[in-house]
Amino acid sequence: MLPPKESRKVLVKMFRNKYIANLDELFDILDTHSRMSVFRRLKPLDYLSSFTDAGCYYTLQDIPKFDTLGLWFYQGVGFSRAGTLKSTLIDIVHLSEAGKTPTELLNLLRLKVANSLYNSLHGLVKGKKLKRHRLHGLALYTSIDSDIAGKQIAARREKIKSGFKLPAVVSM
Protein backbone atom coordinates (compact mmCIF):
# COMPACT_ATOMS: atom_id res chain seq x y z
CA MET A 1 0.00 0.00 0.00
CA LEU A 2 1.29 3.40 -0.92
CA PRO A 3 1.71 5.92 1.92
CA PRO A 4 -0.97 8.67 2.18
CA LYS A 5 0.98 11.49 0.44
CA GLU A 6 2.07 9.24 -2.42
CA SER A 7 -1.48 7.83 -2.70
CA ARG A 8 -2.91 11.31 -3.02
CA LYS A 9 -0.41 12.20 -5.75
CA VAL A 10 -0.98 9.10 -7.87
CA LEU A 11 -4.77 9.24 -7.48
CA VAL A 12 -5.01 12.90 -8.48
CA LYS A 13 -2.72 12.32 -11.46
CA MET A 14 -4.70 9.27 -12.57
CA PHE A 15 -8.08 11.03 -12.29
CA ARG A 16 -6.77 14.12 -14.13
CA ASN A 17 -5.67 11.89 -17.02
CA LYS A 18 -8.38 9.23 -17.02
CA TYR A 19 -11.33 11.03 -15.28
CA ILE A 20 -12.96 7.86 -13.91
CA ALA A 21 -11.79 4.55 -12.41
CA ASN A 22 -13.29 1.35 -11.07
CA LEU A 23 -12.26 -0.42 -7.90
CA ASP A 24 -9.88 -2.85 -9.64
CA GLU A 25 -8.00 0.08 -11.18
CA LEU A 26 -7.82 1.77 -7.77
CA PHE A 27 -6.50 -1.46 -6.21
CA ASP A 28 -3.75 -1.55 -8.83
CA ILE A 29 -2.70 2.07 -8.58
CA LEU A 30 -2.65 2.02 -4.76
CA ASP A 31 -1.04 -1.41 -4.62
CA THR A 32 -3.63 -2.88 -2.27
CA HIS A 33 -6.56 -5.29 -2.26
CA SER A 34 -8.33 -3.68 0.68
CA ARG A 35 -11.56 -1.84 -0.14
CA MET A 36 -11.32 0.06 3.14
CA SER A 37 -7.82 1.28 2.28
CA VAL A 38 -8.99 2.53 -1.11
CA PHE A 39 -11.90 4.45 0.41
CA ARG A 40 -9.66 5.79 3.17
CA ARG A 41 -7.39 7.25 0.45
CA LEU A 42 -10.30 8.57 -1.65
CA LYS A 43 -12.16 10.28 1.20
CA PRO A 44 -9.91 13.35 1.58
CA LEU A 45 -10.05 13.85 -2.21
CA ASP A 46 -13.83 14.50 -2.26
CA TYR A 47 -14.76 11.71 -4.62
CA LEU A 48 -18.06 10.81 -6.26
CA SER A 49 -19.34 7.37 -7.16
CA SER A 50 -21.41 6.72 -10.26
CA PHE A 51 -25.18 6.44 -10.09
CA THR A 52 -25.01 4.01 -13.01
CA ASP A 53 -23.15 0.69 -13.03
CA ALA A 54 -24.13 -0.01 -9.39
CA GLY A 55 -21.85 2.79 -8.18
CA CYS A 56 -18.73 0.92 -9.35
CA TYR A 57 -16.96 3.94 -10.85
CA TYR A 58 -15.34 6.86 -9.08
CA THR A 59 -14.17 10.35 -9.95
CA LEU A 60 -13.10 13.47 -8.13
CA GLN A 61 -15.80 16.02 -7.38
CA ASP A 62 -14.13 18.79 -9.39
CA ILE A 63 -13.84 16.77 -12.63
CA PRO A 64 -17.45 16.45 -13.86
CA LYS A 65 -18.97 19.21 -15.97
CA PHE A 66 -22.58 18.76 -14.88
CA ASP A 67 -25.45 19.70 -17.19
CA THR A 68 -28.49 21.72 -16.06
CA LEU A 69 -29.99 18.59 -14.44
CA GLY A 70 -26.80 17.95 -12.49
CA LEU A 71 -25.77 14.97 -14.66
CA TRP A 72 -22.43 14.12 -16.25
CA PHE A 73 -21.71 11.11 -18.46
CA TYR A 74 -18.27 9.88 -19.40
CA GLN A 75 -17.72 6.73 -21.46
CA GLY A 76 -21.29 5.67 -20.71
CA VAL A 77 -20.90 6.04 -16.94
CA GLY A 78 -23.20 8.52 -15.18
CA PHE A 79 -22.42 10.78 -12.25
CA SER A 80 -24.83 13.12 -10.53
CA ARG A 81 -24.43 16.26 -8.47
CA ALA A 82 -27.04 14.68 -6.16
CA GLY A 83 -24.87 11.59 -5.64
CA THR A 84 -26.91 8.40 -5.56
CA LEU A 85 -29.47 7.15 -8.06
CA LYS A 86 -32.26 7.69 -5.53
CA SER A 87 -31.22 11.27 -4.77
CA THR A 88 -30.89 11.94 -8.49
CA LEU A 89 -34.39 10.61 -9.16
CA ILE A 90 -35.87 12.79 -6.43
CA ASP A 91 -34.17 15.92 -7.82
CA ILE A 92 -35.09 15.25 -11.44
CA VAL A 93 -38.71 14.38 -10.71
CA HIS A 94 -39.18 17.25 -8.28
CA LEU A 95 -37.79 19.79 -10.76
CA SER A 96 -39.64 18.44 -13.80
CA GLU A 97 -42.47 20.42 -15.30
CA ALA A 98 -44.75 17.44 -15.95
CA GLY A 99 -43.43 14.66 -13.71
CA LYS A 100 -41.52 11.79 -15.27
CA THR A 101 -42.43 8.37 -16.59
CA PRO A 102 -40.10 5.40 -16.16
CA THR A 103 -39.33 5.46 -19.91
CA GLU A 104 -38.33 9.13 -19.75
CA LEU A 105 -36.14 8.44 -16.72
CA LEU A 106 -34.48 5.43 -18.35
CA ASN A 107 -33.63 7.50 -21.41
CA LEU A 108 -32.47 10.52 -19.45
CA LEU A 109 -30.33 8.57 -16.98
CA ARG A 110 -29.01 6.08 -19.57
CA LEU A 111 -29.39 3.21 -17.17
CA LYS A 112 -28.25 -0.15 -18.51
CA VAL A 113 -30.35 -2.20 -16.07
CA ALA A 114 -33.99 -1.14 -15.95
CA ASN A 115 -34.54 -3.02 -12.67
CA SER A 116 -32.26 -0.61 -10.82
CA LEU A 117 -34.59 2.22 -11.85
CA TYR A 118 -37.79 0.34 -11.02
CA ASN A 119 -36.46 -0.83 -7.65
CA SER A 120 -35.32 2.70 -6.78
CA LEU A 121 -38.65 4.24 -7.81
CA HIS A 122 -40.56 1.64 -5.81
CA GLY A 123 -38.42 2.35 -2.73
CA LEU A 124 -38.86 6.12 -3.12
CA VAL A 125 -42.64 5.82 -3.37
CA LYS A 126 -42.76 3.43 -0.41
CA GLY A 127 -40.50 5.79 1.58
CA LYS A 128 -42.75 8.74 0.67
CA LYS A 129 -40.02 10.57 -1.26
CA LEU A 130 -41.94 10.52 -4.57
CA LYS A 131 -45.57 10.00 -5.57
CA ARG A 132 -46.74 7.57 -8.23
CA HIS A 133 -49.91 8.23 -10.24
CA ARG A 134 -51.75 6.39 -12.99
CA LEU A 135 -52.55 8.76 -15.83
CA HIS A 136 -54.00 7.49 -19.12
CA GLY A 137 -52.41 4.09 -18.49
CA LEU A 138 -49.01 5.62 -17.68
CA ALA A 139 -47.09 5.46 -14.45
CA LEU A 140 -46.22 9.05 -13.65
CA TYR A 141 -43.83 10.00 -10.86
CA THR A 142 -44.25 13.41 -9.28
CA SER A 143 -43.00 15.45 -6.37
CA ILE A 144 -44.17 14.52 -2.88
CA ASP A 145 -45.24 18.17 -2.48
CA SER A 146 -48.96 18.19 -3.32
CA ASP A 147 -48.93 21.65 -4.91
CA ILE A 148 -46.03 20.78 -7.19
CA ALA A 149 -47.52 17.35 -7.97
CA GLY A 150 -50.83 18.97 -8.95
CA LYS A 151 -49.04 21.28 -11.38
CA GLN A 152 -47.01 18.39 -12.78
CA ILE A 153 -50.14 16.29 -13.37
CA ALA A 154 -51.93 19.23 -15.02
CA ALA A 155 -48.91 19.85 -17.28
CA ARG A 156 -48.77 16.15 -18.19
CA ARG A 157 -52.50 16.14 -19.03
CA GLU A 158 -51.89 19.10 -21.34
CA LYS A 159 -49.04 17.28 -23.03
CA ILE A 160 -51.19 14.20 -23.55
CA LYS A 161 -54.09 16.32 -24.80
CA SER A 162 -51.81 18.01 -27.35
CA GLY A 163 -50.75 14.62 -28.74
CA PHE A 164 -47.44 14.21 -26.92
CA LYS A 165 -46.01 10.73 -27.52
CA LEU A 166 -43.62 9.04 -25.17
CA PRO A 167 -40.24 8.22 -26.68
CA ALA A 168 -39.34 4.58 -27.02
CA VAL A 169 -36.77 3.28 -24.59
CA VAL A 170 -33.30 3.86 -25.99
CA SER A 171 -31.28 0.67 -25.80
CA MET A 172 -27.70 0.94 -24.65
Side-chain angles (χ1 to χ4, degrees), residues 69-134:
L69 292 174
L71 303 176
W72 178 67
F73 294 90
Y74 183 76
Q75 296 180 342
V77 179
F79 292 85
S80 168
R81 190 176 285 129
T84 65
L85 176 58
K86 285 185 176 183
S87 295
T88 301
L89 288 167
I90 292 167
D91 282 1
I92 287 172
V93 169
H94 182 76
L95 296 172
S96 68
E97 177 191 339
K100 291 289 183 189
T101 66
T103 301
E104 291 168 335
L105 290 166
L106 273 174
N107 290 337
L108 181 66
L109 299 175
R110 306 178 198 175
L111 296 171
K112 296 171 184 103
V113 181
N115 280 348
S116 61
L117 173 71
Y118 300 130
N119 292 339
S120 295
L121 288 170
H122 177 76
L124 290 169
V125 169
K126 195 172 182 176
K128 299 186 186 321
K129 303 287 184 188
L130 291 178
K131 287 184 182 175
R132 183 178 191 269
H133 308 271
R134 273 286 191 216

Side-chain angles (χ1 to χ4, degrees), residues 1-160:
M1 176 76 183
L2 294 176
K5 272 188 174 180
E6 185 67 22
S7 293
R8 181 180 182 86
K9 244 187 244 184
V10 298
L11 284 170
V12 168
K13 183 178 180 181
M14 185 217 38
F15 281 120
R16 294 286 176 247
N17 291 326
K18 196 174 179 321
Y19 302 131
I20 66 173
N22 64 30
L23 201 52
D24 287 336
E25 293 167 314
L26 295 171
F27 284 152
D28 287 345
I29 200 162
L30 293 173
D31 193 27
T32 185
H33 291 288
S34 166
R35 290 174 56 88
M36 286 305 297
S37 293
V38 168
F39 293 114
R40 206 174 298 121
R41 296 298 197 251
L42 284 174
K43 188 174 180 179
L45 298 177
D46 292 328
Y47 73 97
L48 292 172
S49 49
S50 60
F51 71 83
T52 63
D53 301 272
C56 290
Y57 286 88
Y58 306 90
T59 191
L60 300 183
Q61 209 158 16
D62 64 342
I63 290 176
K65 304 291 184 246
F66 293 112
D67 64 15
T68 56
L69 292 174
L71 303 176
W72 178 67
F73 294 90
Y74 183 76
Q75 296 180 342
V77 179
F79 292 85
S80 168
R81 190 176 285 129
T84 65
L85 176 58
K86 285 185 176 183
S87 295
T88 301
L89 288 167
I90 292 167
D91 282 1
I92 287 172
V93 169
H94 182 76
L95 296 172
S96 68
E97 177 191 339
K100 291 289 183 189
T101 66
T103 301
E104 291 168 335
L105 290 166
L106 273 174
N107 290 337
L108 181 66
L109 299 175
R110 306 178 198 175
L111 296 171
K112 296 171 184 103
V113 181
N115 280 348
S116 61
L117 173 71
Y118 300 130
N119 292 339
S120 295
L121 288 170
H122 177 76
L124 290 169
V125 169
K126 195 172 182 176
K128 299 186 186 321
K129 303 287 184 188
L130 291 178
K131 287 184 182 175
R132 183 178 191 269
H133 308 271
R134 273 286 191 216
L135 193 63
H136 298 276
L138 292 174
L140 181 68
Y141 292 88
T142 65
S143 173
I144 196 72
D145 180 295
S146 296
D147 292 336
I148 294 170
K151 291 174 185 171
Q152 289 173 323
I153 292 168
R156 180 60 62 154
R157 282 192 174 117
E158 275 304 308
K159 279 185 166 192
I160 291 169

